[in-house]
Amino acid sequence: MGEISKEVLKKIKKEEIKPVSRLSFLLKNSFLWTLFGISIIFGSIGFSIVLFMLERTDISTYLSSVNSPIKLILISIPLLWVFLTVLSLILGYINFRNTQRGYRFEFIKVFLLNILSVILLGSLLHLVGGSLVFNTLFERNIPFYTQVADSRYAVWNRPEEGFLAGKIVRIEKVGESMLVLSLDDDEYTVLYEQARIRPLANIEIGEIIKIRGKLVEENSFEAFDIMPWDGRGRHMQEIQK
Amino acid sequence: MRNIKKKTKEDLSDIEIVNLLKEDIDMYAVLIERYEKQLMVYIRRILFVSVEDAEDILQEIFIKVYRNMNSYNPKYKFSSWIYRIAHNEAVSYLRSKKRKQLSKNVSSVEDDIFDKIPSDIDIEGEYIKKDSIKTVAQALKNLDSKYREVLILRFFEEKEYNEISEILHIPSGTVASLINRGKEKLKILMEKDGRNI
């Protein structure tokens, strides 16, 4: 018996080293696959909420009427969810790579497959209304979630650029104007005589609305288009309140 | 009688020995003796460490092999699996000792670990001759470790692409590109080093 084998066997016997059970390795591998699955599911939820939030900002109608459509698109991107979706993709790849045979696949193929899965599942989830369900769940259970994650707050809080949102606090019978408390708690007198009022936008005290228009003077806003706060994109007419 | 018994043991396949280990731990010595020389050379080739250091690393490798025996999948080559553990241990050694620059600084390590290049191995036929083995060793010392290991596995350990893929846990396509790029870089280093010898 060689020196190394003697030493190794001596150490194994002395320290009573035992082989790790096969079950442990199976569990480890299953755990990695589970994490991979979870990351794909979470990524899909993230992507569906990205779609949901993009749609809910209602910017598509106005892209052609603003000076900088790219800026508007960038502002409307829900960065938190984009970040979480990308993070899920990265974690998914790492988990997959660490499964027993995951190393055999090229990075780009695995990553593209992950992206494709997340896009397909996320779009499907959004189409069946899952994104609304999840977003509502997060809104109700995570403090400050809305302010941090909801890109409407960024898009519709720029009165100087024609995007205003807020709660109706007073309605003037004469002259079709109302007092709106903006997302920043500033008061704006909104003139809406010429405005298009979407069917689900109720002009009632306490209602939160989105207003596309023009800042005519300080704290005075002329509305062109009034939408409900919770309306979203092309579904705005159908959405149930 | 003893010789017959020994020969019988030597005739056993790696998987048969692995299966016998559950009943007789001493059978592990057969497996160790089967791989210790080649792993010793491999460790010294990739880490450029002394024989004493390599022996310590080797002991750790065989302890880890024993500990992780149940993770071996008989569908794949046992030698690739044991090389994988050796590779991991070498990486750990480099990390723990922070000796990533070791290859460029150690001059005491003999080049004999590269003396046994089989004659049918041809890294780059036009410039590697037997008399330039020293140049190869020196260039390998200076080569980035990600290329060095893949070249050593391919041309000195004589592993196939799929085996290298299993050892390093990288896709076969990546093995091929690392070998190609590694050869280019080795060629440049050899030409540079060759002029200095």
Side-chain angles (χ1 to χ4, degrees):
Chain A
M1 197 185 280
E3 277 306 307
I4 289 181
S5 53
K6 264 189 211 163
E7 286 295 320
V8 170
L9 282 174
K10 199 171 123 187
K11 192 173 176 185
I12 289 172
K13 286 173 184 170
K14 191 181 164 195
E15 294 177 18
E16 296 182 343
I17 296 168
K18 299 270 179 249
V20 177
S21 72
R22 195 169 289 277
L23 185 66
S24 299
F25 293 109
L26 273 173
L27 284 175
K28 186 191 164 196
N29 205 40
S30 309
F31 180 67
L32 287 169
W33 276 110
T34 307
L35 284 183
F36 171 70
I38 288 171
S39 60
I40 292 290
I41 291 169
F42 193 79
S44 305
I45 292 171
F47 186 73
S48 74
I49 294 179
V50 168
L51 292 179
F52 171 76
M53 287 196 169
L54 278 174
E55 206 173 52
R56 203 165 61 162
T57 55
D58 280 315
I59 60 158
S60 56
T61 324
Y62 309 115
L63 286 175
S64 57
S65 63
V66 292
N67 291 333
S68 176
I70 292 170
K71 186 184 166 192
L72 186 58
I73 291 170
L74 289 176
I75 291 170
S76 65
I77 293 171
L79 290 177
L80 177 72
W81 278 106
V82 169
F83 170 75
L84 291 174
T85 306
V86 172
L87 190 69
S88 299
L89 285 167
I90 294 168
L91 290 176
Y93 172 75
I94 293 170
N95 288 321
F96 180 84
R97 181 74 173 69
N98 283 301
T99 57
Q100 258 176 12
R101 298 287 141 188
Y103 68 87
R104 295 185 153 204
F105 302 90
E106 303 278 349
F107 163 79
I108 194 76
K109 285 181 190 164
V110 177
F111 209 70
L112 282 178
L113 197 69
N114 279 5
I115 291 173
L116 203 66
S117 311
V118 161
I119 289 175
L120 282 174
L121 287 172
S123 304
L124 194 69
L125 194 64
H126 177 58
L127 284 175
V128 298
S131 51
L132 173 66
V133 172
F134 280 110
N135 195 59
T136 309
L137 191 75
F138 297 139
E139 274 177 349
R140 286 181 186 161
N141 295 294
I142 303 172
F144 303 110
Y145 169 82
T146 313
Q147 286 85 340
V148 175
D150 194 338
S151 46
R152 284 178 303 178
Y153 281 82
V155 174
W156 292 94
N157 199 20
R158 299 175 304 130
E160 64 286 349
E161 289 175 54
F163 293 85
L164 177 68
K167 190 193 276 186
I168 303 170
V169 288
R170 196 168 68 228
I171 300 170
E172 302 293 343
K173 305 272 185 205
V174 184
E176 290 199 60
S177 72
M178 57 188 158
L179 194 66
V180 170
L181 192 64
S182 78
L183 301 172
D184 275 347
D185 286 339
D186 293 326
E187 287 185 341
Y188 285 87
T189 303
V190 177
L191 311 164
Y192 62 97
E193 197 178 8
Q194 306 291 323
R196 174 191 180 194
I197 302 170
R198 303 291 177 108
L200 285 172
N202 289 334
I203 309 299
E204 286 172 13
I205 291 172
E207 282 291 310
I208 301 174
I209 51 171
K210 296 191 295 242
I211 313 157
R212 172 73 175 127
K214 190 171 76 174
L215 192 67
V216 283
E217 54 188 83
E218 197 180 351
N219 290 41
S220 181
F221 199 84
E222 186 185 346
F224 305 148
D225 201 355
I226 298 177
M227 288 153 286
W229 175 245
D230 280 325
R232 56 190 179 110
R234 288 173 293 134
H235 307 300
M236 199 157 58
Q237 309 298 321
E238 295 88 36
I239 195 167
Q240 295 299 307
K241 290 185 85 178
Chain B
M1 184 69 190
R2 199 174 165 172
N3 281 344
I4 292 169
K5 198 178 174 189
K6 197 180 175 189
K7 193 168 183 189
T8 310
K9 281 180 182 176
E10 283 170 355
D11 284 344
L12 290 170
S13 71
D14 294 338
I15 300 170
E16 284 169 328
I17 297 171
V18 169
N19 289 332
L20 285 170
L21 276 180
K22 289 164 199 160
E23 290 144 28
D24 181 8
I25 190 183
D26 289 328
M27 286 299 289
Y28 193 40
V30 182
L31 213 50
I32 294 173
E33 280 158 27
R34 193 171 285 180
Y35 283 98
E36 69 175 300
K37 275 187 190 155
Q38 64 194 85
L39 287 181
M40 166 71 93
V41 176
Y42 172 60
I43 289 297
R44 293 187 62 213
R45 278 172 177 165
I46 57 172
L47 292 176
F48 289 93
V49 288
S50 65
V51 176
E52 293 74 29
D53 282 347
E55 277 176 356
D56 290 343
I57 297 166
L58 206 53
Q59 277 193 29
E60 277 308 304
I61 290 169
F62 284 118
I63 295 287
K64 286 206 171 134
V65 166
Y66 183 73
R67 217 189 285 273
N68 293 290
M69 198 61 82
N70 284 323
S71 74
Y72 169 61
N73 184 346
K75 274 201 287 187
Y76 303 95
K77 280 183 104 173
F78 184 83
S79 65
S80 299
W81 182 75
I82 205 167
Y83 263 82
R84 169 71 190 160
I85 292 177
H87 160 81
N88 283 343
E89 195 56 29
V91 172
S92 301
Y93 176 83
L94 281 175
R95 277 189 193 141
S96 65
K97 301 283 178 185
K98 294 183 178 170
R99 290 187 179 178
K100 287 189 176 174
Q101 296 302 313
L102 190 72
S103 63
K104 284 163 191 148
N105 304 326
V106 172
S107 55
S108 59
V109 175
E110 319 88 273
D111 292 332
D112 64 337
I113 47 174
F114 294 104
D115 274 358
K116 289 165 190 164
I117 303 173
S119 56
D120 59 333
I121 293 297
D122 184 25
I123 297 177
E124 283 289 324
E126 76 265 26
Y127 65 88
I128 294 187
K129 304 273 189 311
K130 277 225 163 187
D131 59 358
S132 63
I133 283 167
K134 205 175 171 78
T135 318
V136 178
Q138 186 59 46
L140 279 168
K141 274 186 192 180
N142 294 330
L143 193 65
D144 190 322
S145 60
K146 72 176 173 184
Y147 299 116
R148 181 169 66 230
E149 193 167 4
V150 87
L151 290 182
I152 285 168
L153 283 166
R154 180 73 190 104
F155 299 109
F156 294 92
E157 304 293 327
E158 300 181 79
K159 300 289 181 193
E160 298 297 330
Y161 280 32
N162 64 324
E163 291 177 273
I164 299 171
S165 161
E166 283 169 25
I167 294 165
L168 301 180
H169 272 200
I170 52 175
S172 296
T174 309
V175 172
S177 58
L178 281 175
I179 287 175
N180 285 332
R181 269 184 276 152
K183 277 159 70 173
E184 289 297 316
K185 289 181 184 292
L186 186 71
K187 187 176 178 178
I188 294 165
L189 284 170
M190 282 179 64
E191 285 167 353
K192 211 167 100 182
D193 291 343
R195 281 195 290 271
N196 297 330
I197 283 178

